[in-house]
Amino acid sequence: MAISPMLLRQLRRSILSCLLLLLTIGSFASSHREAPLISSDPLADNTDVYAFKSPDDPNTITIIANYIPFELPEGGPNYYNFGPNIRYEIHIKNKTTTAADDITYRFTFTNSNQDATTFFNIRLGQQNLKTVYRCEKSTNGGTTWVTIVANGVVPPANIGPRSIEGGVGLGASSYNTLIEQAITTASSGEKVFCGPADDPFFVDLAGAFDVGNFRPEGNKINPPKDGLARYNVHSIALKIPVNLLQKDGKSVEQASTILDPDFVIGVWASASRRQIKSLNSGGDVGYDGGWVQVSRLGMPLTNEAVIPIGMKDKWNAMTPYGNNDLQFAANFTNPELALYMDDSKFGGAVGSLKDLRIQANSLGAFDFRNGRPGLFSLKGSSALTGTALDDAIFGTILLPNNASPRAVDLLPIFYTGVPNLRPYQLATGKGGNPLAAGKPFIHNFLPTLGDMLRLNMAVPATPRNHAKFSTLGLVGAAVLGLTDPMYTNPTLQFIPNMDGFPNGRRLEDDVTTIELQAVGGVVLAAIGLWYDDFVPGGSPVTPQLGRVLGFNAGVTKNDTTFKSAFPFVQDPWRGFIGSSYEPNQKLAVTVQNYNCTTGDITFGRIGGDPGRTVEYRAAGVVNGVYGTSINRQIEFGVRNDPNNSTIILMGRYVGDAASEVSYTFNFRTHCAPARISAESEPLSVRVLGNPSSKTEVTVEVTGATGQSLHFSVINSQGQQFGEHAVPAAGSVERRTLRLGQQTGVYFLEVKTPTDRQIIKVLRQ
C-alpha cells in the first residue's frame, strides 16, 4: 500500500519524537560527568550541593547548587549558561511525617539576544544570551507555587576586559560589581544569586579515576593536579533565615542546645527536562510532555564513587523519597572502595590507599571488611538495648544481616544522618566500651532513608580564621574532641568544625579525603571501635589511626579563595587575560608612584586574578581604610616624623579577608637625596630562594625604574615555561615566575630595552 508524503513526514516526526523521548528519559545523571548519559547534557548536570551555616550571620543558612561542569572561561562565542528549558530545583526536608519536599525552590531561566546583528556576546552595552530568571517557592510538596523573584538577573560570562569594563562593552567598574548587582532579596526574605562562578570543588580527577591512583599532597615526583582548577560552573545560591527552614518557624536562638534535633534539615538539588524534544527542518526546537528529572545530587561523590556504572543513570532518575534509595543501599553496606583498603582483597594493588586499612579485628572481636559480620554478633544482645542498634529503634536498618558491616557507619552518614545516641558519640568518656555513653558529638539525624545533605542548623559556624578551623570537617572535630584538653570535656559544648561535612558541607571541606577516610573506618574509630593495632590500656592514637588521619587525597583546597560574604563562591575565571598576566602568579601589591614633596602616593597590584577588583589600605595614609581608590596621600605628620620611614600597604580582593597581602614601602629611601638615578643605576637581578623546591620562584629587579621589563623562564631543553611583561618597572620590581614540574636547571632571562641578564635557577 502506498503511503502519502504527508503521512511519511508525520511518521518521521513521531519516530524522531520517540527517539528523543528515549534519549531524554535516559539522560539521568549528575556531578562532574560521572554518569554515562548526562555527559551529553551539561546544562542540566548538577555538579555539587553545599549547605552550611553562614559564617557571617548565625541566623542564616547558605545553600548552593552548582550546574554545568568544566566550563572553560574562554569558551565562546556560545558561552555556557543556564538552560531555558530546564527546571533547576533545590529541595529541603525538615519533617519525617511528610512524603515529599517540605520546601522547594524552583528556578527557570529565559535567554534573549539584545543585538542580533553581531556575533559578539557583548558589544556596546548590549548582551546576547542575556539571561533572567524566575524563582518560585512551594511549601506543600509542589502542590502550589508562589513567585518570590520575578525577574532576577544573571551576570554574563566573564569574557574579558573589553567586554566587561571597556567602553565597547558593558562599561562596568569591575566584574565583581556585576555579581553584587545580581544579588537580590526575594519577597519571602531569602537572598538569591544565580550566575557563573569559580568551580569550588577540588579533586585530583586524573589520579582518582586511574583505579584509585591518588597522589598525596607533597608528592614531589608526581604531584597531584586539581582537575577542576580554573574551570567555572553556574551557581544557584540562597541565603535563608533559619526560621524559614526550621519546621516550626523557630529562630536559631530558640534551639534548646547546639544539637537540637528539631533543627535538622536535609538538602538536595535536581534538574528536570520536558519528556519530548522535537526538531524541524527550519531549525526550530519544540518541547512537550511532562517534566522528567535528569539530574540529582545530595551527598558529594555518591553517584561518582559509590554507585556502580550500571546503576548511575537509574540513581539519578529517582528522588530520595519513598524508600527509593534502599535499592542502592548495598553499595554503602559493602562499598567497592573498601575492597582496595583490604589486603585480603585488592588492597595490595592500590598503593596510594596503603594508609587506609579497615578494621579486621577491632577490639579483638569485630571485622568490618566487606562481607564480614561487623557488629552483627551483638544482634539481640542486651548490650544494645537503648542504643541506635536496638531492633526496637533502628537495628533492622543498621544491623540488617551478618554480611553488611558498613551499615553501621556509612549507611547512616548517607541515608539517615547520625543520631546523638549510643554508640554514635565520641569515645571520650566511654571507658573503653564503644556501646557506652560518650561525649555528645553531632545530631543531624533525619531518617528519611534517602541520599541528601543533612545539616543541624543549631550548630554554630566555625570562623574561617579560627586557629583550629579544619577542612576535614567532622573528622577534624572528632580529633579535637578525642585529644585536645580544651574540647575533651564530656559535657555538651562546641567543638570547632562540628559545622563541617558531613554535617552539611562547607565550600572549604575536603570531601574527597573525608569520604576516603570514612570508608577506611575512621568513624568507627572515633566512637571507640579502634584499629587493629590498639592495645587495651594503651593509647587509641595508634600508628594505624595516625596513618589514616595523615592520609589526604592530594588536592586539599580550592585553587582560589572564597568570598567572606554571600554568595561566598568566587567570581568566575576570566576568559581573556592578556599576555602580561602570569597564570600562576599570586596577588601582590606595590607602590607605583610617590611624590616626595606632596606625599601623594599611587598604589598598584601585581598578578592575581585580573577579573577581580583589589582594595587597599595603609596606616599613616589619608583615608587609610579599605577602598578601591589607588590614589592616596601619606599624612604630613608621618612623612615628617624622623622616627618614621615606612608604611605598610595592605591589599586584598574586595571583601575577601583571606586574600590579604602586604607590602612595606620605605618612603625615605625612595626620596633620599643621594639616590642614584635610574639611568646610572646598573640592572640587578636577584632570585629569592635559589635553589628552589617549588614550581615557582620570586625575582627581584632593581636598576630598571620606569623601563619596560621582559621576563622568561626556559629549561635546559629550550622549552619556555614562564613569561611576563612589565610596562614600567618600579624602583624595586618583584615578580613570581613559574618553573616546570621537573627538577633540573632552568634559565631566567630578564631584558630591558638596553640591557639583558640571564641567571641559572636550580629546581630541586
Side-chain angles (χ1 to χ4, degrees), residues 476-548:
V479 171
L480 294 176
L482 291 168
T483 64
D484 191 323
M486 187 179 296
Y487 304 108
T488 54
N489 187 321
T491 60
L492 178 63
Q493 61 175 334
F494 173 70
I495 307 175
N497 306 297
M498 286 174 65
D499 59 320
F501 179 78
N503 182 32
R505 180 185 178 188
R506 304 171 297 187
L507 291 167
E508 296 86 355
D509 287 336
D510 181 3
V511 296
T512 307
T513 294
I514 295 170
E515 290 194 357
L516 286 169
Q517 290 175 332
V519 175
V522 74
V523 175
L524 298 169
I527 64 175
L529 290 159
W530 306 113
Y531 282 97
D532 298 356
D533 57 346
F534 169 69
V535 177
S539 171
V541 185
T542 62
Q544 188 171 349
L545 176 56
R547 288 192 293 271
V548 172

Side-chain angles (χ1 to χ4, degrees), residues 77-79 118-123 126-129 156-157 159:
N78 297 303
Y79 290 89
T118 179
F119 67 85
F120 289 112
N121 189 275
I122 295 174
R123 189 185 69 166
Q126 302 291 301
Q127 291 184 50
N128 291 325
L129 296 178
I159 297 170

Side-chain angles (χ1 to χ4, degrees), residues 2-302:
I3 301 177
S4 69
M6 181 177 292
L7 182 57
L8 278 173
R9 285 195 295 271
Q10 290 174 340
L11 284 171
R12 288 193 189 100
R13 282 197 297 268
S14 298
I15 292 170
L16 178 60
S17 296
C18 289
L19 289 172
L20 288 169
L21 171 61
L22 290 173
L23 286 171
T24 303
I25 292 177
S27 298
F28 302 130
S30 68
S31 199
H32 291 77
R33 289 175 50 86
E34 90 299 343
L37 292 168
I38 200 65
S39 60
S40 63
D41 191 8
L43 301 190
D45 190 349
N46 187 186
T47 66
D48 283 286
V49 176
Y50 302 84
F52 53 91
K53 176 68 73 71
S54 304
D56 62 342
D57 184 354
N59 298 302
T60 65
I61 300 298
T62 296
I63 298 175
I64 300 171
N66 288 338
Y67 296 85
I68 315 176
F70 298 107
E71 293 185 28
L72 280 171
E74 59 269 36
N78 297 303
Y79 290 89
Y80 286 105
N81 212 334
F82 291 110
N85 295 289
I86 302 172
R87 281 180 173 173
Y88 301 91
E89 294 181 335
I90 293 175
H91 310 265
I92 297 159
K93 196 92 185 88
N94 59 24
K95 302 183 183 75
T96 58
T97 56
T98 54
D101 289 348
D102 296 305
I103 305 170
T104 314
Y105 294 93
R106 174 180 292 167
F107 294 81
T108 50
F109 296 84
T110 303
N111 299 334
S112 63
N113 294 329
Q114 293 183 314
D115 182 2
T117 67
T118 179
F119 67 85
F120 289 112
N121 189 275
I122 295 174
R123 189 185 69 166
L124 299 176
Q126 302 291 301
Q127 291 184 50
N128 291 325
L129 296 178
K130 182 177 177 63
T131 305
V132 297
Y133 67 90
R134 181 175 73 251
C135 177
E136 301 167 277
K137 181 177 179 179
S138 174
T139 55
N140 55 12
T143 302
T144 59
W145 297 86
V146 175
T147 298
I148 60 173
V149 178
N151 199 36
V153 174
V154 177
N158 192 2
I159 297 170
R162 284 172 60 83
S163 297
I164 302 302
E165 294 92 358
V168 296
L170 295 179
S173 59
S174 69
Y175 189 85
N176 189 66
T177 301
L178 300 179
I179 297 288
E180 292 176 350
Q181 292 173 346
I183 298 172
T184 189
T185 300
S187 60
S188 47
E190 301 90 342
K191 276 191 175 181
V192 187
F193 169 76
C194 298
D198 160 67
D199 189 339
F201 188 48
F202 46 92
V203 65
D204 183 1
L205 283 174
F209 292 114
D210 186 26
V211 195
N213 195 9
F214 291 98
R215 296 170 282 191
E217 187 178 44
N219 186 330
K220 295 182 179 180
I221 298 175
N222 188 14
K225 177 186 177 183
D226 183 358
L228 303 168
R230 303 186 72 83
Y231 281 107
N232 295 330
V233 290
H234 269 64
S235 291
I236 296 175
L238 294 164
K239 191 176 187 182
I240 310 171
V242 168
N243 67 293
L244 296 184
L245 295 172
Q246 203 274 339
K247 61 184 180 181
D248 300 313
K250 293 180 180 179
S251 65
V252 71
E253 291 86 356
Q254 294 175 278
S256 59
T257 71
I258 64 170
L259 299 184
D260 192 330
D262 289 336
F263 279 73
V264 179
I265 60 171
V267 179
W268 61 287
S270 69
S272 301
R273 281 193 177 275
R274 290 283 194 183
Q275 286 182 319
I276 300 173
K277 176 182 178 181
S278 58
L279 309 173
N280 64 33
S281 58
D284 294 329
V285 182
Y287 298 87
D288 202 359
W291 291 90
V292 178
Q293 181 178 296
V294 299
S295 175
R296 70 140 157 161
L297 194 68
M299 291 285 283
L301 302 174
T302 297

